[in-house]
Amino acid sequence: MRVAITGTSRGLGKVLKEKLCARWIPIEFNRPTYDISTKEGRKKIIDELKSNDRYNVFINNAHDGFSQVKLLQDVYNIWKDKADKYIININSRAKYPNISKGYMYSASKAALSQLSNSLRFKEDKKCRITDINPGLLESDLPSMTYGELAQWVIYLMNKGANIEIGEISLWHRTSYVDVQKQKENKSN
C-alpha cells in the first residue's frame, strides 16, 4: 500500500517516512515540485493521487498558512466516495481557543479542524478522516518526540476500515500551566 505524505524533508514528516518504510511505501510530496502553498503544487499532488489508485492513505502533514486546509478539500473531493481511502491531518493543539499566541497559525489549524468536522458530519462520505492534534514536539520544554507521534499515526492506520476516529489530541503529560511558566522563565 502506498502512503502519500506531505512535508517529509524534516521534523515529524521525516520520522513518519522512516517509520512507514517498515510496512508501507511512503511517497513524498515536498517543495519545490509539490509546494502546497501554490495552486500548481496542490494540483500536482491531486493529479498524482488520481493517476495511481494504489494510494490508500494521505497524510496531510506540511503546513503553510491555510494551504493545508485547501489541500484537505482537494484530496477529499477525489476520495470522498472511496471507502478504502484514509486522510490523516496533522493538526495542532493550537487549534483550541486561548492556547497559542501564534494567532494566524492557530486560526489555520482551527480552520483545518472545522473543515474536517464539516466533511465528517455534513457530507455523505465514504473515506475516513482523522485529525491528530499534538502539543509541543521535540522542544526544549516538556514535549513529545516525533517518534512517539509517528507511532500514533501508525496505530491509527492499523485500525480497521470500519472504525473512524475523528480526532485524537496528544501531548506531554506536564500540565499546560507549568509549560507556560517554563516558557515565561526562558524568555525573561
Side-chain angles (χ1 to χ4, degrees), residues 32-99:
T33 306
Y34 300 104
D35 184 350
I36 70 163
S37 70
T38 68
K39 190 174 184 176
E40 297 79 23
R42 290 189 306 275
K43 183 180 180 320
K44 286 180 184 177
I45 293 170
I46 296 307
D47 289 346
E48 173 62 23
L49 294 176
K50 281 181 177 177
S51 72
N52 190 335
D53 201 43
R54 293 188 306 180
Y55 291 103
N56 291 85
V57 178
F58 181 78
I59 301 175
N60 192 7
N61 175 57
H63 175 265
D64 189 325
F66 288 83
S67 300
Q68 194 178 18
V69 180
K70 293 174 186 174
L71 188 55
L72 167 59
Q73 183 69 62
D74 293 343
V75 175
Y76 174 79
N77 287 340
I78 62 169
W79 279 10
K80 64 184 171 186
D81 295 321
K82 299 178 180 182
D84 65 330
K85 304 300 185 192
Y86 189 15
I87 302 168
I88 299 175
N89 294 306
I90 305 301
N91 205 327
S92 172
R93 175 174 70 178
K95 75 172 191 130
Y96 296 115
N98 304 315
I99 294 287

Side-chain angles (χ1 to χ4, degrees), residues 8 14 20 33 76 92-93 125 136 142 144 160 163 184:
T8 61
K14 183 176 181 179
L20 290 171
T33 306
Y76 174 79
S92 172
R93 175 174 70 178
K125 66 166 189 62
L136 291 173
M144 292 177 64
I163 295 173
E184 268 185 44

Side-chain angles (χ1 to χ4, degrees), residues 8-185:
T8 61
S9 59
R10 61 187 170 93
L12 175 63
K14 183 176 181 179
V15 172
L16 263 171
K17 176 187 71 173
E18 292 164 1
K19 295 215 178 268
L20 290 171
C21 286
R23 183 168 172 201
W24 297 280
I25 303 168
I27 307 298
E28 307 169 64
F29 292 100
N30 292 317
R31 287 184 171 145
T33 306
Y34 300 104
D35 184 350
I36 70 163
S37 70
T38 68
K39 190 174 184 176
E40 297 79 23
R42 290 189 306 275
K43 183 180 180 320
K44 286 180 184 177
I45 293 170
I46 296 307
D47 289 346
E48 173 62 23
L49 294 176
K50 281 181 177 177
S51 72
N52 190 335
D53 201 43
R54 293 188 306 180
Y55 291 103
N56 291 85
V57 178
F58 181 78
I59 301 175
N60 192 7
N61 175 57
H63 175 265
D64 189 325
F66 288 83
S67 300
Q68 194 178 18
V69 180
K70 293 174 186 174
L71 188 55
L72 167 59
Q73 183 69 62
D74 293 343
V75 175
Y76 174 79
N77 287 340
I78 62 169
W79 279 10
K80 64 184 171 186
D81 295 321
K82 299 178 180 182
D84 65 330
K85 304 300 185 192
Y86 189 15
I87 302 168
I88 299 175
N89 294 306
I90 305 301
N91 205 327
S92 172
R93 175 174 70 178
K95 75 172 191 130
Y96 296 115
N98 304 315
I99 294 287
S100 176
K101 290 184 181 177
Y103 301 122
M104 289 308 291
Y105 178 78
S106 294
S108 68
K109 292 300 189 172
L112 182 62
S113 182
Q114 181 63 38
L115 179 58
S116 291
N117 285 330
S118 293
L119 297 175
R120 273 194 293 272
F121 299 120
K122 296 182 178 183
E123 292 283 319
D124 185 23
K125 66 166 189 62
K126 294 183 177 45
C127 68
R128 293 182 295 156
I129 302 171
T130 298
D131 286 2
I132 301 176
N133 309 308
L136 291 173
L137 292 171
E138 300 269 333
S139 170
D140 57 349
L141 296 168
S143 57
M144 292 177 64
T145 66
Y146 295 133
E148 288 170 325
L149 188 56
Q151 291 297 18
W152 280 96
V153 173
I154 291 167
Y155 169 81
L156 291 168
M157 288 172 57
N158 285 322
K159 291 289 123 200
N162 62 332
I163 295 173
E164 181 164 0
I165 298 171
E167 69 177 300
I168 186 167
S169 297
L170 307 157
W171 47 78
H172 190 275
R173 65 176 299 214
T174 302
S175 78
Y176 183 76
V177 172
D178 188 37
V179 172
Q180 294 310 304
K181 286 178 186 173
Q182 289 181 45
K183 271 188 188 179
E184 268 185 44
N185 290 338

